[in-house]
Amino acid sequence: MSDLATLTRALDLEAAGREMHELATELYPIPRSLTGDGVRRTLAILGERIPLEIREVASGTAVLDWTVPDEWNVREAWIEGPDGRRVADFADHNLHLVGYSEPIDETMPLEALQEHLHSLPEQPDLVPYRTSYYRRTWGFCLAHRVRESLRPGDYRVRVDSTLEPGTLTFGECLLPGRDEREVLVSCHVCHPSLANDNLSSLVVATSLARLLARSRRRWSWRILFVPGTIGAITWLARHRDAGERVVAGLVAANLGDPGVFHYKRSRRGDAVVDRAVELALRDRGEAVEVSEFVPYGYDERQYGSPGFDLPVGSLTRTPWGRYPEYHTSADDLALIRPDALAGSLAAYLGVADALERNRVLVNLKPHGEPQLGRRGLYGSLGGGTEGKEREMAMLWVLNLSDGDHDLIEIAHRSGLPFDAVCRAAEALEAAELVARPEASRPAETRNPTETDDR
Ligand code: ZN
């Protein structure tokens, strides 16, 4: 087994981008929701690629302050106009039906129907995405232009859905590492035919998991495919000890549009993952907008609730709500691009590598500079820029390895690539000039009773 950095270097990113887009294309038509067969089918397809455990939690189960809802499935749903033509049909596009619509089979005048229609006057050609998870109703979404063309008369409305006790389904891919403590990657699996939000993340997370599964791992990695909010809450309810196990985490979303990266820091703001993300993007030459944590957005607000306070940030491209296609039928397979997906995968791999290789070291000869030339560590590569970078990296590692600074911080402060800092650290460890602190505890843990090697 190779380490992740080696696997990443060997990766054909262009091919990976194409593959991810193909997988998104396969998943796109499936009608997903908080619960139901669409989520199961989606997870079954992901499970062909990665070791995925499927969990089913019964409706009515109390999870933290919430209750697992009834399961929703749709056989058909449509509206037929006075002339017998269908004006909206779930079979054409699953966004036409409001998520969690209760069954109905009635004929009604247009005025009564209007109360159950949703459209976007500002974007008259697009079908909006609407749900009503916790208030029982039914509704249809359609292009505003179509809505305006509706003639008075009687409309037949049929929603053949079931909304009854069943289960909530989520998937988790757990890849054990040498350390039982975990890095969490979480993405929401509840959105129907919407590509950037959030098929993009399902496919990036799947590719990430596949590479991690083939690599030597220090941390245990847990990739979660959960319905938004209730899924994260259900997982947390079953992992009350998450605070002791999770050393870092990311919520993945909106990873296929061509926009620049956006990183929302963890609630702590200075967790290892926060520094790892900024470093990984810097090393890839990617621009990134960074914002502080706010208790809104995706499931980072659940992982970052004060009772858990997990060090989980969110790495996206254009954040939710900030692109015009967001939550409409225009968030389709044309919006997400193979090269953007590939860049997102590379960014996540960079973060993963930083987390995997980060450590705190102690200089064993801290009084004056140890004589590197005598040990064949200085000038051995001649005067090239690579040799210079290697020497600078060794000097930085020696100088900042006082037990307080980890390799991520050394890379930040020196401006040197993380990989160069890691290679220097390895050379210095081999020469017994630096070592992991005696009875070391990694910077990642805040629990003073925990030790790294058990
Ligand atoms: Zn969304």
Side-chain angles (χ1 to χ4, degrees), residues 129 188 191 194 197 298 320 326-327:
Y129 167 52
H188 57 275
H191 283 34
L194 295 165
D197 176 24
Y298 293 119
W320 65 273
Y326 174 75
H327 278 194

Side-chain angles (χ1 to χ4, degrees), residues 227-270:
T229 308
I230 189 69
I233 282 175
T234 300
W235 185 82
L236 285 166
R238 295 156 64 109
H239 296 84
R240 292 271 191 162
D241 64 343
E244 288 146 40
R245 302 175 65 90
V246 176
V247 293
L250 287 173
V251 167
N254 300 318
L255 289 171
D257 69 282
V260 300
F261 285 101
H262 185 103
Y263 181 62
K264 175 179 166 182
R265 289 195 177 124
S266 71
R267 180 176 183 265
R268 298 177 190 179
D270 62 348

